[in-house]
Amino acid sequence: MIQTVAESDVALPKIHDSFVIGGGIVGLIAGYLKGSVVISNSFEPRFYGPIWLHYHKSTERFLNMLGIEPEVATVKVLVYDGNEIREPTKNDKIQYSLKVWGDYQEHTMSEGKKLIKIFDYPIGELYKQLLDQVKTIIGEVVSIDPDLQLITVDTPYGVMTVEYSELISTIPLNVLCEILGIDDYDFVYKTIYGTFLPDYYFQFTIEDKQIVYDISQSPFYRHTKYSGGWLLSESVIGGDMTIGKKIKNKIGLKELDGIKLVGRYARWIPKYYIHDALQDLGVK
């Protein structure tokens, strides 16, 4: 049951201490921890990529806050070269980076990890649990005035402008820049597509708790076993997962115009996990 703040024009809040922009998993985590109202045009879980939570003490503490005692498991890292699935070699790591990014990038694959320690708790279930406990507004942020600390949101019930004392953004940095009217950026990034395929689609078999990096000539770069006989295969289309020169000084920022940035795309840091977001939000 979504706790929606805006149920009618008269019900729209005039002021609230804290708002979070973005209804993804990080946005809901921020809303839960800060007691904030979360603003998003959709609250449908969309998970592209491995659907596991990386093992980390911060993540464990957060799950415990929710009354969750997760089991710990390991995921095996493998590679598909077009002929077979096997353990990755040093050359495979280079080939993978060239295929996905066009140059060498630090990544789970390139780090040479053979096993990844995880919490065996579905991230989709975590999303649903958080959604039941966080207040939300369905709408699109159309403008932010950092000087007056005002945020304007276009909702199904009308356009509202409210004052904030704290604002957290979990949306991609380029989108936030557009809302703020910052035009001195030059973002170039890849678009990730998650495709659900039957597990007999490929000439190889992927078991549970395996992540297979694809260095073959196929458009896919990563495969994981989903559920019910399905695979989640990901492909990437577009430019680099980097950023243009004009805004390089904004990469990794924790704050922009007084707005706290939390999340991989909000801070534009490729190697950024749930536990990094939790630490940014004060869960050590």
Side-chain angles (χ1 to χ4, degrees), residues 36 42 65 69 111 134 146 222 232 268:
S36 309
S42 174
M65 288 181 196
E69 298 288 342
E111 289 173 346
V134 174
R222 184 166 59 188
L232 176 57
W268 212 268

Side-chain angles (χ1 to χ4, degrees), residues 60-221:
E60 185 174 30
R61 291 189 185 98
F62 178 68
L63 292 174
N64 291 164
M65 288 181 196
L66 295 168
I68 300 169
E69 298 288 342
E71 294 184 5
V72 178
T74 55
V75 172
K76 191 170 185 179
V77 178
L78 298 167
V79 67
Y80 175 64
D81 61 9
N83 295 312
E84 63 177 347
I85 290 181
R86 53 176 173 74
E87 291 190 358
T89 65
K90 184 176 181 180
N91 185 61
D92 292 334
K93 303 166 194 173
I94 298 172
Q95 292 301 313
Y96 180 78
S97 281
L98 291 174
K99 176 178 177 177
V100 179
W101 293 289
D103 59 7
Y104 187 79
Q105 297 272 349
E106 186 176 316
H107 186 267
T108 301
M109 173 70 167
S110 61
E111 289 173 346
K113 292 181 179 179
K114 294 184 178 180
L115 293 173
I116 303 172
K117 197 173 181 182
I118 64 162
F119 291 114
D120 195 8
Y121 189 83
I123 195 169
E125 290 301 314
L126 176 60
Y127 186 93
K128 292 175 184 177
Q129 187 166 344
L130 289 168
L131 192 57
D132 284 340
Q133 301 185 57
V134 174
K135 291 183 178 180
T136 64
I137 293 176
I138 296 177
E140 182 177 354
V141 177
V142 294
S143 68
I144 300 170
D145 186 329
D147 296 325
L148 296 177
Q149 292 189 291
L150 296 174
I151 181 170
T152 300
V153 185
D154 187 0
T155 81
Y157 311 99
V159 177
M160 71 177 203
T161 298
V162 293
E163 184 179 353
Y164 63 85
S165 60
E166 179 184 40
L167 187 59
I168 299 170
S169 174
T170 66
I171 62 176
L173 183 57
N174 60 317
V175 178
L176 179 64
C177 284
E178 290 176 4
I179 294 171
L180 290 169
I182 299 173
D183 58 6
D184 63 335
Y185 62 83
D186 182 21
F187 287 86
V188 183
Y189 53 90
K190 290 181 180 292
T191 301
I192 299 174
Y193 292 89
T195 305
F196 290 98
L197 298 167
D199 55 11
Y200 56 78
Y201 183 87
F202 298 100
Q203 295 179 346
F204 55 78
T205 302
I206 298 177
E207 305 296 336
D208 290 333
K209 304 294 188 299
Q210 287 184 347
I211 179 168
V212 178
Y213 293 97
D214 193 327
I215 61 170
S216 74
Q217 297 300 311
S218 81
F220 302 105
Y221 73 94

